Amino acid sequence: MKVTIKHWHAVAQWRWDTGKSEPNSDDSEGDVCGICRVPFEGCCPTCKMPGDDCPLIWGECTHIFHMHCLLKWLGTAASKQQCPMDRRTWGMPTKFSLVAVPC
Amino acid sequence: MASDALRSQVAAKWQESFARLNRHEPGIAGLVRFSHAWNVALAVLRPRRLDELKEDVDIELVRSAFAVINGGRRLPFLLETFLEELKKRYWMVGKDVEEYMARFEQTENAEVIRDLVLRLVAWFKHWAPLPELRLGSTIYSAYTLSFQTHLFSIVPPSFATGFKALVSSTLSASASTTKSHGHDTDDPNAPIWQSFETLGLIDRYESIIATVGYEFIEHHVLDTCTAEWSRPMLSELRDWMSEKVVPWMLLIYARGATNAEEARSMLQGVGSRFDFHINKTLCDLRTKEIFDIIIDFPESNGALMDLKDCLQRVDQRPALVKALRQANRKRLLHPGADTKLILSQYVATIKCLRIIDPPGVLLFKVADPIRRYLRDRPDTIRCIVANLVGDDSDSPDSLLDDTIDSTSGSGGGQITTTNPAHLIDDYSDPNWDPEPIDAGPEFRANKPQDVLSTLVSIYDSQDLFVKEVQILLAQRLLSIPILSNTTVEDTNGTTERIEKERRTLEILKLRFGEMALGVCEVMLKDMTDSKRIDSHIQNQLSLSSSSSTPPSSADINVVHPTIISHHFWPSSDPSAFSSLSNQHHHQQQQNQQQSSSSFMLPGQFKTLQSTYLSQFTKFKPDKTLRFLPNLGSVTLLIRFEDEREMEVQVGAIEAGVLELFNMKGEEEVEGDVENKEGAMLSLDELIQGLGGIDKGSVLKALLTWIDYGVLEEVEGREGMFRVLEVENDRKREGGGGGGGGGGEGEERTRQAVAAHVHAQESNLPPVVSAQQQQADQMRVYWKFIEGMLTNLGGLPIDRIQSMLRFAPGYDQSVDQLSMFLDAARREGVVVFREATQKNKKNIEHFVRPVKSQITTENLNSFFDHVVAIYLTGARGLSIFHAPTG
């Protein structure tokens, strides 16, 4: 007997590749944005669409947030351009110079 | 003794009387003439037998005799004497009456009564004072009265029955003779009515006559209108009445009318009484039929219009409500009725009662039990939403269509949650109307809502609906295959189907609001995104395949995943899936504990997945994919040894099972194992090969393949399955007597496996239903409860509930909690103890954990129960029984 797959309608869910956890691990809850406490795969409070419309941002300090959340934070005077988690000055790591290239 | 004074007084009286009778005539001549006149008058008046002719009397003589009596002012005495005489001789009439009545009682023939009446009239006329005497109406009326009084005193009770029969015969007679309007024409019954009138029967038996009329009407209404709902009957009935009944009524009620105008005014009162009776009868009939009328809606529109008109004249609204509620309770609100049916009947009820009673008071009263019942049904929401979303196969008059209508009509009112401001009447509204008088205190004169919002308002919040909409939408979207236009022809209309869902969603948004359905929006976007990503990746793959690796290209082009944003899809969390399937099959629990990883697709699928994944990460470097292996569908082409080919579309687990056989076969080919029997695998091997999923699902998949004739269970070795490489000849022969054993064996296999499957019944829907989610949620709170009981000892349920309220997202009611705890008790995880403190309930249940008994095993079977309870919706379970020590 030979079985050939003609068509496979699979179902998959996408994840941000945060590089932290092994994507197929059972820790399905995933991480949440430190600012809005919404999962990364969700969207920040101002957005309606997750994914490319509400991308993530990586800091030098390896903290990750929704980009919109972080930019809003950085926009406030109280932020002093620091990462809200560890109070280090916010900076983009060179290797992640570009986040989420929408096609 | 007598004094002089007395003597003189008597003498004076005597003189006076004598003088009056003698009229101052000489001697006693006057007196003699008076006595002569008295005798003459009495002789003329004397009642005699019918056959006894009156001797010829000299009218002049008699008249002068009366004049003499009158002159002596003795006429009243004459009358008295005459009536006395009448009384004495009335036995003659009585004899006749007895005779006729005896005959009637024997024959039951109304004609006998007719004869009797005619006979009585003859008596009456025979005994009446001669009209020529012009005696004045006083004497006549005194005579009539006396005659009738005597008559009524002697007629037996059966006369009433006879009279009724006679009257109704006259009625049907005059009804059957169709004739032109007008009361002077020769109705055959006019004479008999004249006689009735003469004898005073009409006045005395008026109620009987009316009853006859009413019964006649009732009979006709029941005859013509029963189950005749398509057109309004009321006007027809009125026509019939004026044609058939009114002529008859004219005889009775408009007797003595000289012209049509007079007749009309005389008929007015009784006519409206009869008209009322028509209304009432029709109303009663329709009230009795109301349930079926509603079923027949909209064909029964006519009946509803009738009922509306009738209800305006007849105060039958409470009766209608009562009848309908009773019918609903008896015929609709019982466990045998399908929720879908109840819903459609409810919708029809809404529409019907809105026709009958636009303000909605009736509806409010009738709908209440239905709504309460629907609230208790576990699948109500699903039915409503399924109707909303509307399957293609659905009838055109789904709820959605109504919604569209009403939105275009009323400008699309959103369903607003009950807002106190809406409940207060707006007194500045110039069109304000007071509530109808029969409205109950809870009635709210809502603005006429459309059907959908009425249905949604069965529940207190619309969240449940939104959730169910999501689940249904998810199911439907996942069934849409992702086919990118560039590679495969868009035969299944992927775009079209997504667009259709989008349209539906837009309509629902008008109802539920933009915010509530934002999640669904994301789901739809996922669909279009998946399509875009897929077409891009397919392009990339075909580009790369044309340059380098040709063999893999054919394979990779077949994967077309739907990529979902898992936070926005109902419970598409893989752990939720696996945990749920765990709960259902605790015999596999040990297995599950060891290998926590669940279903994995083997062989080709794994490679296909990883190829696709690598392409995806190239396309979207910051993202990765996690496949949900138990969702989706696969189309397989199976080629057998005997060159048979077969193309089937199956679920993922089925595909995985077959792939395992496929791999096994290839191994054997490579290893040069002799392979006549086809690849063979045991059930345990299969379970292991698929990553240790539960037995039930595997058995179900095996059953599917056995049905297709691809696999069979090896004879004599239970739990071993092999591929049927060569089509079963014996089966092809039609299972006839020849081969015998083998065919039977296969049938047995099928049954055995089927029995397995039924025993396990693992028929999980691909997406978890709301109730399962709820049960799953309870699992989280169990941790809280467990901790609470371990730390604090026994607690009453109320206390547990109030502490759980602090837990984030806890929304269960006390009843739900106690149901949950009851399930826990039956599993032996907790026990109930009765306490005797005086409390509101008098008996309070303490719950304390049985520490020693809490093991993983019975915890899991306990959750099985909880899920089962949620699934069956057995809400009525009482916890107040059999408390254990």
Side-chain angles (χ1 to χ4, degrees):
Chain A
M1 180 184 68
K2 172 124 180 65
V3 176
T4 323
I5 301 168
K6 295 275 284 182
H7 179 259
W8 181 17
H9 172 219
V11 179
Q13 47 180 242
W14 61 267
R15 299 258 159 164
W16 291 113
D17 189 4
T18 51
K20 272 188 178 172
S21 56
E22 207 269 305
N24 274 333
S25 80
D26 228 26
D27 180 22
S28 58
E29 280 309 305
D31 291 322
V32 295
C33 165
I35 296 174
C36 64
R37 309 299 295 169
V38 172
F40 289 143
E41 282 80 14
C43 50
C44 74
T46 48
C47 282
K48 276 191 174 161
M49 292 295 166
D52 295 336
D53 293 341
C54 185
L56 301 186
I57 194 165
W58 277 257
E60 276 175 342
C61 49
T62 71
H63 288 128
I64 310 174
F65 304 97
H66 287 130
M67 189 174 79
H68 299 155
C69 293
L70 187 87
L71 292 183
K72 201 191 262 173
W73 160 250
L74 292 181
T76 59
S79 72
K80 299 177 192 155
Q81 301 300 311
Q82 288 167 338
C83 166
M85 302 291 263
D86 58 9
R87 296 280 161 191
R88 278 201 275 167
T89 310
W90 183 262
M92 303 275 263
T94 43
K95 60 170 179 169
F96 290 121
S97 54
L98 246 185
V99 188
V101 195
C103 67
Chain B
M1 285 288 279
S3 65
D4 287 351
L6 180 64
R7 202 172 293 135
S8 67
Q9 205 172 356
V10 169
K13 284 277 180 197
W14 168 258
Q15 281 300 326
E16 192 193 3
S17 305
F18 177 79
R20 196 169 57 224
L21 289 180
N22 206 18
R23 279 167 298 159
H24 313 292
E25 293 205 14
I28 56 165
L31 198 57
V32 170
R33 271 182 53 204
F34 179 82
S35 74
H36 182 66
W38 179 267
N39 284 336
V40 168
L42 266 190
V44 168
L45 289 177
R46 185 173 66 89
R48 58 202 85 201
R49 292 208 312 283
L50 262 185
D51 47 1
E52 191 180 331
L53 290 176
K54 291 181 182 182
E55 61 256 45
D56 286 333
V57 285
D58 183 355
I59 295 295
E60 280 309 310
L61 186 73
V62 175
R63 198 170 285 166
S64 66
F66 274 98
V68 167
I69 294 170
N70 198 18
R73 282 184 282 155
R74 275 298 170 266
L75 216 44
F77 293 98
L78 180 69
L79 181 62
E80 215 169 277
T81 320
F82 166 59
L83 293 182
E84 200 61 34
E85 197 77 2
L86 181 77
K87 193 175 162 191
K88 271 187 201 151
R89 303 199 147 231
Y90 213 82
W91 57 269
M92 290 193 281
V93 178
K95 220 169 76 190
D96 268 4
V97 169
E98 264 170 44
E99 195 180 308
Y100 277 95
M101 286 316 294
R103 248 166 62 204
F104 169 73
E105 274 161 32
Q106 270 171 13
T107 57
E108 300 268 316
N109 189 354
E111 286 307 307
V112 179
I113 300 293
R114 182 193 291 267
D115 293 344
L116 171 62
V117 169
L118 292 177
R119 180 87 174 170
L120 286 171
V121 171
W123 278 111
F124 179 81
K125 286 197 176 138
H126 196 65
W127 285 359
L130 290 178
E132 296 91 332
L133 295 172
R134 291 195 285 277
L135 287 175
S137 62
T138 329
I139 290 181
Y140 268 112
S141 61
Y143 164 71
T144 314
L145 184 67
S146 156
F147 188 90
Q148 287 172 0
T149 314
H150 291 309
L151 178 62
F152 296 151
S153 70
I154 60 166
V155 288
S158 58
F159 180 75
T161 349
F163 184 71
K164 195 170 161 189
L166 179 59
V167 170
S168 60
S169 80
T170 66
L171 173 55
S172 42
S174 53
S176 58
T177 54
T178 4
K179 58 195 182 67
S180 59
H181 200 73
H183 60 105
D184 292 335
T185 40
D186 44 348
D187 190 296
N189 295 299
I192 189 77
W193 281 106
Q194 208 71 51
S195 317
F196 290 160
E197 164 75 12
T198 314
L199 293 176
L201 291 173
I202 291 181
D203 289 332
R204 175 156 171 96
Y205 291 111
E206 195 171 14
S207 64
I208 286 182
I209 296 171
T211 313
V212 168
Y214 290 158
E215 276 172 10
F216 190 64
I217 288 173
E218 272 165 33
H219 191 71
H220 179 78
V221 169
L222 292 181
D223 253 16
T224 52
C225 301
T226 307
E228 179 65 56
W229 301 326
S230 50
R231 59 209 159 89
M233 301 297 287
L234 203 54
S235 59
E236 264 173 59
L237 285 176
R238 288 198 168 121
D239 287 350
W240 167 82
M241 165 119 160
S242 60
E243 198 172 295
K244 302 281 187 186
V245 186
V246 167
W248 177 80
M249 284 162 60
L250 283 169
L251 285 176
I252 308 157
Y253 297 103
R255 54 184 194 261
T258 48
N259 54 31
E261 193 60 40
E262 208 178 324
R264 191 167 303 140
S265 70
M266 286 168 93
L267 272 184
Q268 209 163 39
V270 67
S272 71
R273 252 179 21 231
F274 274 76
D275 187 55
F276 177 85
H277 198 73
I278 287 185
N279 278 300
K280 180 159 162 46
T281 314
L282 189 61
C283 189
D284 284 348
L285 177 68
R286 293 293 184 239
T287 302
K288 225 178 338 169
E289 295 172 329
I290 182 75
F291 191 79
D292 297 292
I293 292 179
I294 292 176
I295 290 178
D296 262 22
F297 185 80
E299 273 74 41
S300 55
N301 214 354
L304 293 170
M305 299 312 286
D306 275 351
L307 194 53
K308 183 184 178 186
D309 289 347
C310 290
L311 279 177
Q312 271 162 4
R313 283 211 57 185
V314 188
D315 187 26
Q316 291 279 34
R317 291 160 66 101
L320 179 72
V321 168
K322 202 169 154 231
L324 189 51
R325 280 175 78 136
Q326 205 165 9
N328 278 337
R329 198 166 56 238
K330 209 167 123 200
R331 297 178 59 180
L332 192 64
L333 306 180
H334 56 74
D338 198 17
T339 307
K340 213 166 173 183
L341 276 178
I342 299 182
L343 273 177
S344 62
Q345 178 74 0
Y346 179 41
V347 171
T349 309
I350 293 174
K351 288 178 185 163
C352 291
L353 291 187
R354 212 168 269 166
I355 292 176
I356 297 175
D357 170 53
V361 181
L362 292 184
L363 178 63
F364 181 80
K365 288 182 177 173
V366 172
D368 201 39
I370 305 180
R371 292 165 68 91
R372 251 185 285 130
Y373 185 82
L374 281 175
R375 215 174 294 157
D376 288 343
R377 280 233 169 178
D379 57 340
T380 303
I381 297 185
R382 178 151 326 152
C383 274
I384 295 175
V385 174
N387 263 347
L388 276 182
V389 180
D391 286 324
D392 307 72
S393 58
D394 247 18
S395 51
D397 56 1
S398 72
L399 289 175
L400 202 54
D401 295 342
D402 296 329
T403 319
I404 299 170
D405 289 350
S406 53
T407 38
S408 57
S410 66
Q414 263 193 23
I415 297 169
T416 43
T417 40
T418 34
N419 171 358
H422 281 253
L423 301 179
I424 299 168
D425 289 327
D426 178 12
Y427 292 109
S428 60
D429 180 6
N431 296 321
W432 182 84
D433 275 329
E435 283 171 3
I437 44 165
D438 54 346
E442 282 161 33
F443 176 77
R444 298 268 169 254
N446 292 336
K447 301 186 173 52
Q449 288 177 320
D450 65 345
V451 172
L452 176 59
S453 22
T454 316
L455 287 180
V456 172
S457 68
I458 291 177
Y459 293 88
D460 293 333
S461 76
Q462 46 170 314
D463 296 351
L464 291 167
F465 281 88
V466 173
K467 215 182 246 173
E468 203 65 44
V469 167
Q470 279 172 27
I471 291 171
L472 258 161
L473 185 67
Q475 276 170 359
R476 295 162 66 86
L477 287 181
L478 284 185
S479 72
I480 299 176
I482 297 297
L483 292 175
S484 37
N485 295 329
T486 49
T487 52
V488 191
E489 214 177 309
D490 196 0
T491 45
N492 286 17
T494 307
T495 335
E496 228 170 80
R497 284 173 69 179
I498 296 177
E499 274 315 302
K500 188 169 165 276
E501 298 298 341
R502 190 181 297 281
R503 268 200 307 279
T504 315
L505 189 65
E506 287 301 323
I507 294 165
L508 289 179
K509 264 195 205 160
L510 288 175
R511 300 269 123 207
F512 292 106
E514 194 89 20
M515 287 291 285
L517 292 175
V519 174
C520 298
E521 194 82 339
V522 175
M523 284 157 70
L524 281 173
K525 184 169 173 288
D526 280 344
M527 293 302 288
T528 41
D529 280 355
S530 305
K531 217 177 133 206
R532 199 161 43 81
I533 292 170
D534 190 55
S535 73
H536 178 86
I537 289 182
Q538 299 299 346
N539 272 339
Q540 289 297 117
L541 284 169
S542 47
L543 279 179
S544 66
S545 68
S546 60
S547 58
S548 58
T549 53
S552 73
S553 68
D555 290 340
I556 194 62
N557 275 340
V558 301
V559 188
H560 302 278
T562 305
I563 300 167
I564 62 175
S565 311
H566 67 281
H567 287 292
F568 296 83
W569 288 66
S571 221
S572 53
D573 198 338
S575 69
F577 285 115
S578 61
S579 67
L580 269 164
S581 48
N582 289 354
Q583 287 166 28
H584 268 264
H585 306 284
H586 42 94
Q587 62 267 55
Q588 292 295 312
Q589 288 305 333
Q590 304 316 89
N591 258 352
Q592 292 293 332
Q593 302 304 319
Q594 291 155 14
S595 56
S596 60
S597 68
S598 61
F599 181 48
M600 296 262 291
L601 281 166
Q604 300 179 48
F605 293 98
K606 215 179 255 174
T607 31
L608 285 176
Q609 264 182 16
S610 52
T611 326
Y612 196 92
L613 188 59
S614 64
Q615 280 300 326
F616 180 80
T617 31
K618 248 183 250 166
F619 179 44
K620 304 247 175 190
D622 50 347
K623 285 186 195 165
T624 148
L625 284 182
R626 182 192 290 187
F627 281 86
L628 303 175
N630 49 352
L631 297 179
S633 65
V634 187
T635 310
L636 294 173
L637 180 72
I638 309 166
R639 186 175 292 122
F640 296 97
E641 293 287 289
D642 58 351
E643 300 298 315
R644 269 184 307 138
E645 282 192 8
M646 190 179 193
E647 195 174 315
V648 285
Q649 188 178 8
V650 289
I653 297 179
E654 279 85 353
V657 168
L658 200 67
E659 176 63 15
L660 281 177
F661 281 100
N662 189 30
M663 282 158 64
K664 176 88 173 172
E666 279 168 10
E667 264 173 42
E668 285 171 358
V669 170
E670 281 166 22
D672 263 354
V673 182
E674 196 176 339
N675 182 22
K676 276 183 188 162
E677 290 284 286
M680 211 193 294
L681 280 170
S682 75
L683 190 55
D684 288 337
E685 281 174 292
L686 286 171
I687 292 172
Q688 285 300 323
L690 296 176
I693 62 165
D694 62 287
K695 199 167 150 193
S697 318
V698 177
L699 279 172
K700 203 163 147 270
L702 283 170
L703 188 60
T704 313
W705 288 121
I706 290 172
D707 273 349
Y708 278 122
V710 176
L711 298 179
E712 67 167 3
E713 188 166 18
V714 181
E715 267 175 70
R717 293 178 65 188
E718 206 181 317
M720 283 298 281
F721 296 86
R722 68 181 173 92
V723 181
L724 270 174
E725 287 292 5
V726 181
E727 194 174 16
N728 203 331
D729 292 338
R730 286 161 296 193
K731 195 177 160 198
R732 208 192 293 159
E733 279 162 17
E744 275 173 32
E746 184 172 331
E747 190 49 36
R748 215 176 45 234
T749 309
R750 226 204 79 83
Q751 282 168 358
V753 178
H756 262 297
V757 173
H758 279 297
Q760 307 222 345
E761 205 47 73
S762 70
N763 212 350
L764 272 183
V767 177
V768 190
S769 76
Q771 284 147 342
Q772 279 169 314
Q773 285 181 5
Q774 204 181 9
D776 211 34
Q777 212 181 352
M778 244 359 219
R779 225 176 138 83
V780 177
Y781 298 117
W782 169 247
K783 291 267 173 258
F784 289 99
I785 298 173
E786 199 185 2
M788 225 185 273
L789 294 175
T790 322
N791 292 330
L792 303 173
L795 287 173
I797 286 175
D798 293 347
R799 187 84 188 286
I800 298 178
Q801 169 76 4
S802 61
M803 287 177 80
L804 278 178
R805 279 216 198 89
F806 294 114
Y810 182 77
D811 57 353
Q812 312 286 305
S813 68
V814 183
D815 287 342
Q816 282 166 316
L817 176 68
S818 66
M819 202 175 78
F820 177 80
L821 286 175
D822 191 47
R825 180 188 60 75
R826 267 179 284 136
E827 289 305 315
V829 185
V830 296
V831 294
F832 287 164
R833 180 162 58 81
E834 273 184 46
T836 48
Q837 284 113 326
K838 285 269 157 65
N839 203 322
K840 266 182 225 156
K841 282 182 192 163
N842 230 351
I843 297 174
E844 197 181 351
H845 289 269
F846 278 88
V847 183
R848 67 181 168 82
V850 185
K851 275 181 199 151
S852 58
Q853 284 182 351
I854 301 185
T855 61
T856 342
E857 198 175 328
N858 61 19
L859 247 187
N860 276 320
S861 72
F862 152 54
F863 278 116
D864 273 356
H865 263 276
V866 176
V867 171
I869 287 168
Y870 274 107
L871 287 181
T872 51
R875 301 263 157 94
L877 280 178
S878 152
I879 65 156
F880 300 105
H881 59 77
T884 51

